[in-house]
Amino acid sequence: MSEIVLGIGASHSTLMNTHWAEVDHLPAAHSFRDGLGAAREALAAARPDAVVVIGSNHFRGMFLDLMPAFTVGVGEVHGAGEAGTPGGPLPADTDLARVVVDGLVGDGFDPAFSLRLTVDHGITHSLQHLLPALDVPVVPVVVNMFAPPLPSLRRCHALGAAIGAAIRGDGQDGKRVAVIASGGLSHRLPWPKWFAALSDDDRFLVEAWLNGRDSWTTYEVRRRQIIRAARPDINEEFDRWFLQLLENGDLTPLLDHTDADLEKAAGNGAQELRSWIAMTAALTTPDGLPPTGRTLAYGAVPDWLTGMGVSLLTPHTQAPHTHSKDQETAR
């Protein structure tokens, strides 16, 4: 029987890798980077044997020619390597990945699986900054968060619960497993819905998303120009509200939000909160006790277009006796 020992939620931005000098003067950027460092130390202290990473796809590994709601890498895992993120083969826990897929099927899901999955920074940014040595095998779970129709927030919560049950029901290895959620918080990308491409830039992006499977790098220059030209749209109030939900251990107020509700409140990039929702559900005990959450960092970084946050979640049975004191210190 394997054990879930820790959960981490972390925003991502490839601009952190490629344009750090532009934000070096911003306290929020340093706060986020320091938060990642604190989460990295906590992850190392938890000594995981494997890490399940739940994240998004930015059309560098999966494309509009085939877009499943949920995909698990059960064989080779390759990083796309865009913008200084890890590229090439990544260590993969194929045994645990098969346990996850079997558990999802047993719980009524119909996940896609891949024996040769390419993941982009929706997965690899967190690996780069939380597991820099890349010496812990991973199980990538890619959720469709940008090509509607999207799985509902409640469906993603159920997905996380099923992942948690599958890990705990693994009777073979007794592994220590951490779960990382990558993405969010509030931000708006200049991305059209694929069925409503109105401008030349819209049509270019949809073409890249449809035809880029074997040539995505040829679209990169203009694609990044479009993103860099976008104006920031960050809702700090929403972000702090969401992070407080994690600390309270109750995501119920968010789960009935529609895609339109979420986009109106926090931008289309906030659809990535599906990964945080699934991670939180995975850490919730079978009898419904939520994990203990603590916000390690939050700050709006307009140059990255995003509200950047890091949260640490501890499963109830693993909650340290001194946690409440730690929280008081953090405040």
Side-chain angles (χ1 to χ4, degrees):
M1 181 175 179
S2 293
E3 176 187 11
I4 300 177
V5 296
L6 195 69
I8 296 171
S11 305
H12 58 234
S13 173
T14 58
L15 295 174
M16 180 175 176
N17 294 344
T18 59
H19 292 77
W20 176 260
E22 295 181 7
V23 299
D24 194 22
H25 65 289
L26 296 177
H30 282 270
S31 174
F32 174 70
R33 190 173 67 175
D34 292 345
L36 287 177
R40 182 170 60 247
E41 292 176 3
L43 187 59
R47 298 178 291 104
D49 300 304
V51 174
V52 175
V53 186
I54 307 171
S56 56
N57 159 64
H58 302 80
F59 304 102
R60 295 185 180 93
M62 306 180 73
F63 300 86
L64 291 178
D65 57 0
L66 182 63
M67 185 57 62
F70 308 116
T71 305
V72 182
V74 299
E76 300 173 16
V77 179
H78 297 265
E82 80 280 12
T85 54
L90 301 173
D93 190 326
T94 57
D95 290 338
L96 182 60
R98 289 178 58 196
V99 166
V100 169
V101 170
D102 289 345
L104 291 177
V105 171
D107 253 328
F109 285 84
D110 301 302
F113 67 86
S114 174
L115 271 69
R116 187 176 294 126
L117 180 65
T118 297
V119 293
D120 63 21
H121 71 272
I123 298 290
T124 57
H125 190 275
S126 59
L127 299 180
Q128 177 183 15
H129 294 284
L130 297 175
L131 288 167
L134 292 178
D135 56 356
V136 179
V138 302
V139 176
V141 180
V142 181
V143 179
N144 174 24
M145 306 190 204
F146 290 118
L150 309 180
S152 70
L153 303 187
R154 283 201 176 274
R155 187 62 169 165
C156 292
H157 189 273
L159 175 84
I163 290 173
I167 293 171
R168 295 185 188 95
D170 175 18
Q172 297 182 6
D173 298 312
K175 295 176 179 175
R176 297 172 58 83
V177 180
V179 183
I180 295 174
S182 182
L185 300 168
S186 68
H187 62 294
R188 187 175 300 279
L189 297 171
W191 285 7
K193 293 179 171 61
W194 59 266
F195 48 82
L198 304 179
S199 68
D200 287 343
D201 283 347
D202 289 352
R203 288 185 284 272
F204 168 81
L205 288 170
V206 173
E207 176 188 344
W209 300 344
L210 175 61
N211 299 320
R213 185 170 296 277
D214 297 315
S215 58
W216 65 264
T217 57
T218 64
Y219 297 95
E220 278 294 279
V221 172
R222 181 175 175 185
R223 173 183 160 133
R224 287 184 70 81
Q225 288 173 343
I226 293 171
I227 293 174
R228 292 284 285 159
R231 298 180 64 180
D233 183 8
I234 301 171
N235 186 338
E236 295 187 50
E237 182 179 358
F238 174 90
D239 291 342
R240 295 185 188 281
W241 172 75
F242 173 72
L243 293 171
Q244 188 62 55
L245 294 183
L246 290 179
E247 293 192 7
N248 294 342
D250 182 10
L251 295 179
T252 303
L254 179 67
L255 295 183
D256 285 329
H257 278 51
T258 66
D259 294 354
D261 293 335
L262 193 56
E263 180 168 348
K264 181 179 179 180
N268 58 355
Q271 305 294 356
E272 291 181 318
L273 291 180
R274 285 166 167 79
S275 59
W276 296 59
I277 290 169
M279 178 269 293
T280 303
L283 268 73
T284 299
T285 65
D287 55 353
L289 291 173
T292 300
R294 183 156 61 107
T295 301
L296 298 182
Y298 174 72
V301 184
D303 298 74
W304 297 343
L305 306 178
T306 305
M308 307 296 293
V310 184
S311 288
L312 188 70
L313 276 68
T314 307
H316 187 267
T317 56
Q318 296 293 315
H321 181 69
T322 59
H323 184 78
S324 60
K325 182 177 179 181
D326 293 340
Q327 285 186 310
E328 291 174 4
T329 301
R331 293 193 186 100

